[in-house]
């Protein structure tokens, strides 16, 4: 029996908007097991992104606790959470978020640099291997503006996997891509995920895509329920 | 190691691709301007100081009524200073046929220590020093004495042969009442003249040259005896005042350029931060620590500073060189070196401005939350780095604390921004109510949609415009004032000691020689002895270093009407036994209208009541008096008369004719001195014009950068308009209208503000009469619109590029 890698207990999140308190998440609890792939679905504004932000330690819950890899991140400060992210978490974003002034290769080596891994030669070797895997060999020195959307997302995939993260968060990774390209990216994402045994948390609107995950959580009116 | 290299190369690319380059350009500009301006300013200041020293004939002069003691000379020489002594006195000079009262300057061969002494001998050779048994006379004296070079002239008891004529000499006094024809003899011949006797009025000077610090130490160690005083270039009032104003102007120009660059720096930096907060959020989401981000940003800042410094200083030196090209005839061949001071100054300035301008927004970048990568949130920025603002404020207080001008400019800027906010708000609401063409109303709605932004832009634009016009107009006003001093028809010859009997015929003769002249003025020399029946010697002001009027004899005059070039500032010219007093002296003595003053002339006492105060332009070279009495107060006192007239270079024979006809009248020919001062003025005005041009160029460049930045920020919006189907024509019309309006209103507001600040600057800063500048009212808005259009046309093509 595999262990729980993320555990969420009675988490709430509310924000102040126009002097009114707005509850986005109203007491959510669930567990995610190591190596699992899980899709989070919900209508726009349901709180999917808020939940992902909390799970990844980008933000703090109003109440409740979140434990990630045996650390209670909900009681950690910014810097401690950043350290956990750099060591164990990878991201793929809807709008790729590559650094425009860095080449494809440099964008991929960046997480290793942030981790304190300063052997740049080794970093580049790893990054090259991953770029080859996502089908971008020969494009290492291209800047993001010289790449198409699909290519940029491939670079983002390589960047996400280069540190062999324990958990990968993907926020609508195909939201900005055409269908064919989206399909390729998803294939790649799942292939690499399986290969590295990464836990995958995927936010999506796409029910077909959600079906490829082992579990699906649906957020609705600040509550979450497991879809069966 | 290699990772650091990557951070450096990344930072480098971040600078160029990430909108940080305008920051670097602004920083480079600051450094270039500071290096160029301060190098030039330093050089000009040194040249000017040297010129002041030329007028003094040394770095420092000790004036004494007693002979300079040999022990003092020894002390000075032991301290490593160069010295030379001079004794001067007035005596009669006799040729075979004529005689004349002359000022004898007995000097050593080392004279002068500064400045040029040109003496032309019989063989037309130019000599530069006075040797034993030589006698050098001014050309005018030669003609008065009707003597020739080689003939013998008696100076007191000594008989000396005229060696030649004085062409140029330092130490031209600017007091027309003390100047009598000069001659030079060597100090070894002094005793032979028999002039040095008990009770004879001989004045002595010790000229001293040396390192400023040694000089200062020597000066402060020496205790002045009675009848002694120090004179350095600061105390030589006229040249000193001129130089003071030039220096004030230099620091003002530098400050303005720095201000303009600082504004650009801050705006470009804020622009960068807006564009980069997403990257920082992303880096944070990937787990970068604040420490890492800090070192990443620090690397960028460091690179920018280093590059800006290297490029800026080289550019600054080049600029200074270019600036010197038109000055090549005026500046000395060998320029004083300036050392590393300008570079240190540039580093200091760029750090003082650059650190807060860069670090405050960049540190705010660190606060960009990681969550922003998936969800935009409002950010609470920490205000911790605001302490950095203390840096420029402290520097300002330390360096400019006592400089009135600078604070005036800063206050003016502050007022400008407030006035501007009000004006632009009013203007916008007013304009929006009217009906306009489509392009104009779109432009107006764009401006009023983000009033804060538009107002900031307007403020920055009109602020720079105002600074540009200030730099230029202050220069013009200053020069105008100086040139007025020596207007082409200013009198340049003064006749004094005209006896009452000679007066009418003398004036008639001047008129028949068609030399334009002033009225004749009675001259009565006397002292102020009591103010409201209190002895002046008992008053504190008597000892005051600045107010010397109570301790010396003054020229009095009486008139029926005050001269029209004297403006009465208080009271009126009427009443019996009354006196009109020059306003500055009145202020210094604390006089009020109606106060009773008691005077003494030839041991004879009399009183008069103050009826008015007058503003007097002392530099105008017109006959001017501190005290002008009503006729009944002093007309019966024995007086001589004076008159001033204008003689051109080629009218020397007429002046000589006058001198011959009235041998007892002393003629003060200021033509040589006027030329000297004119050339000094010309040099200074060239330097100032050069500096002003540079300042204006820097300002225009910055406005250009500002506008381009603002236009680039609009890229996304314009793309959206294009996507929504707006035609290129519509967009470009709107842009032209919007920026045209912006430029026009900024120009108008800048003109108003500049006029106000100029008024304050002239009135209270330079203490000169303020005036209006109607031409600026048209030129400034025009300039603004031109710059705006130039900036716009340089980017509009790129802005309207077809969509991808």
């Amino acid at each position: 029996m595999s262990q729980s890698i993320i555990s969420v207990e009675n988490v709430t999140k509310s924000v102040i908007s126009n002097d009114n308190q707005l509850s986005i998440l109203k007491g959510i609890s669930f567990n995610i097991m190591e190596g699992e792939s899980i899709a989070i679905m919900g209508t726009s504004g349901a709180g999917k992104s808020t939940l992902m932000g909390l799970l990844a330690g980008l933000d703090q819950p109003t109440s409740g606790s979140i434990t990630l890899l045996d650390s209670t991140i909900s009681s950690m400060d910014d810097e401690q959470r950043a350290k956990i992210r750099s060591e164990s978490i990878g991201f793929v974003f809807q709008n790729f978020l590559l650094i425009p002034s860095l080449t494809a290769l440099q964008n991929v080596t960046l997480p290793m640099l942030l981790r304190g891994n300063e052997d740049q030669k080794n970093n580049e070797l790893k990054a090259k291997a991953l770029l080859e895997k996502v089908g971008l060999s020969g494009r290492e020195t291209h800047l993001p503006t010289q790449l198409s959307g699909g290519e940029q997302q491939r670079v983002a995939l390589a960047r996400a996997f280069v540190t062999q993260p324990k958990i990968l968060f993907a926020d609508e990774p195909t939201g900005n891509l055409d269908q064919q390209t989206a399909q390729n990216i998803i294939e790649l994402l799942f292939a690499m995920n399986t290969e590295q045994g990464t836990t995958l948390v995927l936010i999506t609107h796409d029910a077909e895509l959600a079906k490829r995950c082992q579990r699906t959580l649906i957020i609705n009116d600040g509550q979450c329920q497991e879809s069966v | 190691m290699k990772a650091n290299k990557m951070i450096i190369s990344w930072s480098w690319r971040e600078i160029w691709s990430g909108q940080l380059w305008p920051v670097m350009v602004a920083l480079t500009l600051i450094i270039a301007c500071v290096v160029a301006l301060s190098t030039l300013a330093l050089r000009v200041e040194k040249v000017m100081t040297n010129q002041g020293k030329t007028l003094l004939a040394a770095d420092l002069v000790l004036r004494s009524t007693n002979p300079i003691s040999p022990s003092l000379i020894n002390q000075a020489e032991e301290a490593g200073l160069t010295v030379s002594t001079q004794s001067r006195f007035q005596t009669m000079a006799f040729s075979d046929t004529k005689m004349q009262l002359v000022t004898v300057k007995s000097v050593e061969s080392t004279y002068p220590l500064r400045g040029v002494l040109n003496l032309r001998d019989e063989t037309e050779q130019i000599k530069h020093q006075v040797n034993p048994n030589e006698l050098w006379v001014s050309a005018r004296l030669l003609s008065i004495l009707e003597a020739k070079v080689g003939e013998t002239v008696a100076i007191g008891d000594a008989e000396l042969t005229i060696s030649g004529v004085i062409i140029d000499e330092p130490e031209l006094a600017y007091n027309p009442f003390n100047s009598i024809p000069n001659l030079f003899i060597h100090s070894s011949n002094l005793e032979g003249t028999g002039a040095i006797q008990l009770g004879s009025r001989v004045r002595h000077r010790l000229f001293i040259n040396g390192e400023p610090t040694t000089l200062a130490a020597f000066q402060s160690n020496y205790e002045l005896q009675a009848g002694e005083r120090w004179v350095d270039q600061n105390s030589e009032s006229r040249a000193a005042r001129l130089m003071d104003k030039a220096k004030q102007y230099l620091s003002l120009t530098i400050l303005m350029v720095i201000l303009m660059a600082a504004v650009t720096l801050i705006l470009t930096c804020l622009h960068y931060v807006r564009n980069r907060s997403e990257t920082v959020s992303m880096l944070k989401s990937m787990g970068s620590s604040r420490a890492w981000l800090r070192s990443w940003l620090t690397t960028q800042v460091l690179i920018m500073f280093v590059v800006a410094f290297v490029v800026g200083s080289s550019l600054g030196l080049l600029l200074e060189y270019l600036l010197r090209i038109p000055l090549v005839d005026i500046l000395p061949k060998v320029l004083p070196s300036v050392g590393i001071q300008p570079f240190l100054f540039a580093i200091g300035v760029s750090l003082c401005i650059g650190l807060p301008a860069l670090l405050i927004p960049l540190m705010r970048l660190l606060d960009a939350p990681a969550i922003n990568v998936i969800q935009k949130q409002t950010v609470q920025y920490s205000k911790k780095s605001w302490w950095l603002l203390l840096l420029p404020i402290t520097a300002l207080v330390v360096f400019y604390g006592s400089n009135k001008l600078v604070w005036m400019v800063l206050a003016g800027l502050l007022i400008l921004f407030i006035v501007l906010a009000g004006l632009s708000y009013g203007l916008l609401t007013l304009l929006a109510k009217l009906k306009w063409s489509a392009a104009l109303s779109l432009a107006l709605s764009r401006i009023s949609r983000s009033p804060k932004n538009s107002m900031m832009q307007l403020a920055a634009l009109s602020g720079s415009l105002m600074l540009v016009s200030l730099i230029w107009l202050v220069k013009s006003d200053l020069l105008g004032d100086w040139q007025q001093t020596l207007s082409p028809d200013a009198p340049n010859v003064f006749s004094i000691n005209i006896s009452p009997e000679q007066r009418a015929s003398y004036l008639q003769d001047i008129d028949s020689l068609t030399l334009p002249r002033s009225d004749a003025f009675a001259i009565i020399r006397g002292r102020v002895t009591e103010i409201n029946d209190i002895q002046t010697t008992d008053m504190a002001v008597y000892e005051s270093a600045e107010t010397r009027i109570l301790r010396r004899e003054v020229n009095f005059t009486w008139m029926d009407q005050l001269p029209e070039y004297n403006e009465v500032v208080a009271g009126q010219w009427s009443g019996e036994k009354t006196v009109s007093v020059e306003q500055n002296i009145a202020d210094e003595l604390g006089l009020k209208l109606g106060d009773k003053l008691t005077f003494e002339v030839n041991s004879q006492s009399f009183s008069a009541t103050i009826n008015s105060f007058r503003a007097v332009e002392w530099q105008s070279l017109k006959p001017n008096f501190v005290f002008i009495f009503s006729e009944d107060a002093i007309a019966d006192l024995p007086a001589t008369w004076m008159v001033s007239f204008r003689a051109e270079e080629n009218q020397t024979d007429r002046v000589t004719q006058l001198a011959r006809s009235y041998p007892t009248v002393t003629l003060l020919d200021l033509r040589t001195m006027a030329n000297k001062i004119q050339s000094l003025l010309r040099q200074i005005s060239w330097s100032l014009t050069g500096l002003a041009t540079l300042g204006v160029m820097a300002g225009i460049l910055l406005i250009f950068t500002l506008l381009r930045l603002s236009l680039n920020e609009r890229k996304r919006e314009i793309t959206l308009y294009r996507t929504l189907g707006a035609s290129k024509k519509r967009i470009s019309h709107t842009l032209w209208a919007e920026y045209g309006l912006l430029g026009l209103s900024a120009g108008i507001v800048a003109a108003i503000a500049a006029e106000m600040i100029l008024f304050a600057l002239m009135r209270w800063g330079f203490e000169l009469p303020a005036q209006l500048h109607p031409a600026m009212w048209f030129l400034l808005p025009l300039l603004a619109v031109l710059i705006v259009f130039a900036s716009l046309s340089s980017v509009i093509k790129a802005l309207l590029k077809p969509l991808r």
Side-chain angles (χ1 to χ4, degrees):
Chain A
M1 179 71 192
S2 55
Q3 282 180 288
S4 149
I5 197 165
I6 300 176
S7 102
V8 178
E9 268 176 66
N10 209 15
V11 160
T12 68
K13 178 73 184 174
S14 40
V15 291
I16 307 287
S17 162
N18 295 333
D19 287 337
N20 293 324
Q21 183 146 332
L22 195 67
S23 287
I24 300 172
L25 300 176
K26 303 167 179 170
I28 286 179
S29 304
F30 61 89
N31 282 321
I32 298 173
M33 298 300 149
E34 198 174 339
E36 234 179 352
S37 60
I38 182 163
I40 299 178
M41 291 187 71
T43 52
S44 283
K48 302 185 297 289
S49 296
T50 306
L51 180 61
M52 178 175 141
L54 294 176
L55 296 182
L58 298 173
D59 202 1
Q60 290 284 54
T62 310
S63 68
S65 87
I66 299 171
T67 310
L68 192 116
L69 295 158
D70 300 330
S71 309
T72 312
I73 55 164
S74 48
S75 60
M76 286 179 162
D77 70 14
D78 227 17
E79 290 292 278
Q80 291 167 317
R81 282 183 278 134
K83 190 158 187 289
I84 290 198
R85 284 200 299 273
S86 80
E87 283 165 356
S88 325
I89 293 178
F91 283 102
V92 179
F93 302 105
Q94 179 176 0
N95 46 354
F96 328 133
L97 285 181
L98 298 178
I99 299 211
S101 52
L102 292 184
T103 62
L105 186 70
Q106 284 168 328
N107 263 296
V108 178
T109 58
L110 188 61
M112 291 184 279
L113 206 63
L114 294 177
R115 222 181 211 199
N117 200 343
E118 301 214 333
D119 182 357
Q120 191 67 0
K121 203 167 197 174
N122 196 28
N123 290 350
E124 279 178 14
L125 277 177
K126 269 191 192 168
K128 268 188 190 150
L130 269 169
L131 281 174
E132 199 183 329
K133 189 165 272 174
V134 298
L136 285 178
S137 58
R139 319 285 307 254
E140 289 92 345
T141 56
H142 284 53
L143 290 172
T145 46
Q146 297 164 320
L147 300 171
S148 70
E151 286 169 330
Q152 287 190 48
Q153 196 60 304
R154 282 164 198 256
V155 176
L157 276 181
R159 180 180 67 184
F161 280 105
V162 77
T163 51
Q164 290 164 311
K166 296 215 167 57
I167 311 165
L168 180 75
F169 289 96
D171 179 14
E172 308 258 14
T174 55
N176 273 355
L177 301 172
D178 63 71
Q179 214 179 347
Q180 184 56 48
T181 315
Q183 193 56 42
N184 292 340
I185 291 290
I186 289 303
E187 294 305 333
L188 206 53
L189 174 64
F190 277 95
M192 290 170 88
N193 193 47
T194 316
E195 192 183 313
Q196 293 202 2
T198 315
T199 308
L200 174 68
V201 180
L202 177 75
I203 289 186
T204 183
H205 278 117
D206 184 347
E208 285 304 306
L209 182 52
K211 271 187 202 156
R212 295 192 60 164
C213 296
Q214 292 159 346
R215 289 164 66 194
T216 301
L217 283 177
I218 295 171
I219 310 280
N220 190 16
D221 193 24
Q223 308 284 349
C224 97
Q225 64 191 113
E226 187 108 22
S227 136
V228 271
Chain B
M1 248 355 259
K2 200 119 182 268
N4 285 338
K5 219 168 120 190
M6 179 191 153
I7 289 183
I8 289 172
S9 78
W10 176 14
S11 299
W12 181 250
R13 242 176 302 149
E14 187 71 7
I15 289 166
W16 288 108
S17 64
Q19 287 96 7
L20 261 190
W21 66 266
V23 172
M24 198 153 81
V25 171
L27 212 52
T28 308
L29 207 65
I30 290 183
I31 292 173
C33 280
V34 171
V35 166
L37 287 183
S38 59
T39 306
L40 191 76
L42 223 61
R43 283 207 224 265
V44 169
E45 189 179 320
K46 282 193 174 181
V47 169
M48 288 197 292
T49 309
N50 285 343
Q51 238 138 25
K53 286 174 180 167
T54 302
L55 287 177
L56 278 182
D59 295 346
L60 179 69
V61 180
L62 176 71
R63 288 193 187 168
S64 173
T65 48
N66 303 311
I68 306 295
S69 78
S71 72
L72 180 64
I73 296 175
N74 278 340
Q75 274 174 36
E77 281 172 343
E78 273 164 25
L81 300 168
T82 318
V83 293
S84 179
T85 59
Q86 183 195 70
S87 307
R88 57 165 82 179
F89 54 91
Q90 285 168 8
T91 189
M92 294 308 291
F94 302 88
S95 65
D96 287 346
T97 51
K98 297 278 169 183
M99 61 179 190
Q100 168 67 32
L101 182 71
V102 293
T103 298
V104 177
K105 290 182 181 176
S106 143
V107 297
E108 300 179 57
S109 308
T110 46
Y111 175 89
L113 296 185
R114 290 261 183 250
V116 188
L117 178 66
N118 284 326
L119 307 164
R120 191 174 60 214
D121 70 6
E122 230 176 339
T123 60
E124 300 284 313
Q125 278 190 319
I126 301 294
K127 305 249 168 100
H128 305 290
Q129 52 178 229
V130 179
N131 291 316
N133 299 323
E134 286 180 353
L135 169 66
W136 301 91
V137 299
S138 67
R140 192 160 65 84
L141 181 61
L142 203 64
S143 97
I144 291 171
L145 291 178
E146 294 180 358
K148 290 195 182 68
V149 178
E151 290 178 3
T152 307
V153 170
I155 312 289
D157 298 341
E159 297 254 323
L160 289 164
T161 309
I162 302 175
S163 319
V165 180
I166 306 165
I167 308 293
D168 292 301
E169 63 177 309
E171 280 196 289
L172 281 168
Y174 206 69
N175 181 354
F177 299 104
N178 284 340
S179 177
I180 296 173
N182 275 345
L183 56 80
F184 279 108
I185 61 169
H186 191 261
S187 54
S188 60
N189 299 107
L190 177 62
E191 216 183 299
T193 63
I196 312 273
Q197 291 169 4
L198 205 65
S200 63
R201 240 193 125 213
V202 182
R203 286 158 297 154
H204 304 268
R205 289 178 186 202
L206 177 64
F207 298 106
I208 313 173
N209 265 21
E211 286 297 314
T213 47
T214 325
L215 272 179
F218 182 74
Q219 190 176 1
S220 64
N221 284 338
Y222 181 72
E223 201 175 310
L224 285 177
Q225 311 294 309
E228 289 182 343
R229 72 184 174 102
W230 291 111
V231 183
D232 58 24
Q233 37 126 9
N234 294 323
S235 46
E236 204 66 353
S237 62
R238 185 173 187 78
R241 274 184 51 204
L242 236 156
M243 265 177 259
D244 250 17
K245 297 210 165 133
K247 274 188 230 167
Q248 272 181 321
Y249 180 74
L250 293 192
S251 52
L252 196 67
T253 311
I254 292 182
L255 184 81
M256 288 186 189
V257 170
I258 291 172
L259 269 177
M260 289 190 282
V263 171
T264 319
L265 198 66
I266 293 165
L267 291 182
T268 40
C269 221
L270 289 174
H271 177 81
Y272 173 77
V273 168
R274 275 200 292 280
N275 279 300
R276 274 298 167 272
S277 70
E278 193 175 60
T279 301
V280 170
S281 295
M282 198 270 287
L283 286 169
K284 273 191 169 177
S285 75
M286 283 163 51
S288 74
S289 64
R290 285 178 89 89
W292 190 91
L293 284 170
R294 212 171 280 133
S295 78
W296 176 64
L297 290 173
T298 311
T299 311
Q300 293 184 22
V301 170
L302 255 172
I303 290 179
M304 284 194 288
F305 266 105
V306 170
V307 172
F309 182 71
V310 172
V311 179
S313 338
S314 334
L315 219 63
L317 286 180
L318 183 73
L319 219 59
E320 198 254 351
Y321 174 76
L322 291 176
L323 213 58
R324 267 195 283 130
I325 291 179
L327 305 182
V328 73
D329 292 335
I330 298 143
L331 292 172
K333 296 282 167 291
V334 183
L335 282 170
S337 78
V338 289
I340 56 163
Q341 206 182 327
F343 301 98
L344 293 180
F345 187 45
I347 292 179
V349 169
S350 55
L351 286 179
C352 275
I353 297 166
L355 285 183
L358 285 166
L359 290 185
I360 293 175
L362 289 183
M363 288 296 145
R364 283 173 67 173
L365 256 187
L366 290 183
D367 292 334
I371 186 72
N372 267 6
V373 287
I374 44 175
Q375 247 179 349
K376 288 277 174 278
Q377 283 191 355
T378 46
V379 193
Q380 278 297 323
Y381 291 114
S382 89
K383 296 200 159 63
K384 258 193 291 182
S385 44
W386 285 93
W387 65 267
L388 282 163
L389 281 178
L390 284 176
L391 221 61
I393 294 171
T394 316
L396 212 59
V397 169
V398 169
F399 287 105
Y400 288 112
S402 58
N403 192 329
K404 261 201 287 183
L405 284 181
V406 168
W407 294 106
M408 268 188 232
V409 171
L410 291 179
L413 275 178
L414 202 70
I415 295 170
L416 172 87
F417 286 126
I418 295 166
V419 167
L420 205 79
L423 271 181
S424 43
Y425 184 78
L427 205 72
L428 293 177
T429 37
L430 199 77
L431 285 177
K433 279 185 184 160
L434 304 171
K435 264 212 144 140
W436 298 98
S437 71
L440 264 175
S441 33
L442 249 176
L444 273 166
S445 82
R446 174 71 180 73
I447 294 174
S448 53
R449 199 165 354 124
S450 47
K452 208 173 117 197
N453 225 347
S454 303
M455 274 198 246
M456 278 282 286
Q457 223 161 41
L458 267 166
L461 192 58
S462 52
S464 331
L465 278 168
M466 183 201 68
L467 290 182
V468 163
S469 58
L470 271 188
I471 290 179
W472 192 258
L473 289 177
V474 167
K475 186 222 81 175
S476 314
D477 282 5
L478 265 189
L479 290 189
D481 177 70
W482 291 341
Q483 256 132 25
Q484 196 190 333
T485 304
L486 295 164
S487 63
D489 54 352
N492 49 14
V493 185
F494 288 75
S495 308
I496 58 173
N497 282 331
I498 307 169
S499 70
E501 300 76 38
Q502 288 171 323
R503 181 181 145 210
S505 63
Y506 195 86
L507 295 182
Q508 206 174 359
D509 284 6
I510 298 180
D511 291 341
S512 61
L513 290 170
T514 65
L515 298 170
R517 66 164 175 89
S518 70
D519 291 334
F521 298 92
I523 304 281
I524 300 163
R525 282 184 77 77
R527 288 174 183 275
V528 186
T529 53
E530 287 173 22
I531 298 174
N532 290 329
D533 297 321
I534 299 168
Q535 290 282 330
T536 52
T537 44
D538 295 340
M539 302 174 84
V541 67
Y542 187 84
E543 300 294 339
S544 146
E546 288 93 51
T547 312
R548 286 163 55 202
I549 189 128
L550 296 177
R551 300 194 295 270
R552 62 181 177 92
E553 283 205 320
V554 197
N555 291 304
F556 300 151
T557 194
W558 56 266
M559 290 177 193
D560 297 333
Q561 286 301 319
L562 292 178
E564 57 191 36
Y565 49 84
N566 278 189
E567 185 200 349
V568 174
V569 290
Q572 59 179 29
W573 178 245
S574 66
E576 282 175 12
K577 295 216 186 292
T578 46
V579 61
S580 172
V581 186
E582 191 268 333
Q583 60 168 349
N584 289 332
I585 294 284
D587 284 347
E588 283 172 28
L589 298 179
L591 301 177
K592 297 181 299 296
L593 290 173
D595 278 359
K596 180 183 159 200
L597 300 181
T598 307
F599 304 90
E600 196 178 275
V601 173
N602 296 330
S603 319
Q604 203 180 330
S605 218
F606 64 96
S607 299
T609 314
I610 301 176
N611 67 8
S612 60
F613 295 128
R614 282 167 297 122
V616 171
E617 279 179 46
W618 291 106
Q619 61 267 62
S620 70
L621 271 193
K622 294 187 175 118
N624 269 314
F625 299 86
V626 175
F627 300 103
I628 299 179
F629 294 82
S630 60
E631 186 174 350
D632 60 328
I634 60 167
D636 51 345
L637 290 170
T640 58
W641 291 78
M642 75 155 290
V643 65
S644 64
F645 58 89
R646 167 99 196 163
E648 303 306 330
E649 278 310 311
N650 56 6
Q651 293 175 324
T652 310
D653 52 329
R654 300 187 198 185
V655 179
T656 315
Q657 195 183 327
L658 263 178
R660 286 215 180 114
S661 320
Y662 299 90
T664 54
V665 171
T666 312
L667 263 182
L668 306 169
D669 193 342
L670 300 184
R671 284 179 295 173
T672 339
M673 179 170 50
N675 284 341
K676 216 165 217 191
I677 294 205
Q678 206 127 37
S679 88
L680 183 84
L681 269 179
R682 216 170 16 239
Q683 297 191 20
I684 294 176
S685 36
W686 266 107
S687 318
L688 292 195
T689 311
L691 280 179
T693 314
L694 187 65
V696 170
M697 268 160 42
I700 292 178
L701 217 72
L702 290 178
I703 295 172
F704 197 70
T705 320
L706 275 178
L707 286 169
R708 285 188 55 127
L709 256 182
S710 128
L711 280 164
N712 276 328
E713 281 200 3
R714 302 283 295 280
K715 227 176 198 158
R716 187 173 281 187
E717 194 185 315
I718 289 166
T719 315
L720 184 69
Y721 282 149
R722 292 282 287 139
T723 318
L724 292 175
S727 69
K728 270 189 189 183
K729 206 169 135 193
R730 162 64 55 85
I731 292 175
S732 79
H733 278 183
T734 310
L735 280 175
W736 287 110
E738 181 187 340
Y739 281 83
L741 270 174
L742 210 66
L744 195 68
S745 45
I748 293 170
V749 174
I752 297 171
E755 197 70 272
M756 292 195 310
I757 294 179
L758 258 176
F759 180 84
L761 270 180
M762 281 298 141
R763 188 70 166 271
W764 295 293
F766 289 100
E767 286 166 5
L768 292 173
Q771 54 193 26
L772 284 177
H773 306 81
M776 173 181 74
W777 294 77
F778 300 100
L779 287 179
L780 209 55
L782 187 72
L783 177 75
V785 172
L786 281 180
I787 300 175
V788 161
F789 282 2
S791 325
L792 191 53
S793 54
S794 75
V795 285
I796 200 157
K797 265 222 174 95
L799 281 177
L800 294 178
K801 256 207 310 237
L803 303 166
R804 237 201 336 185

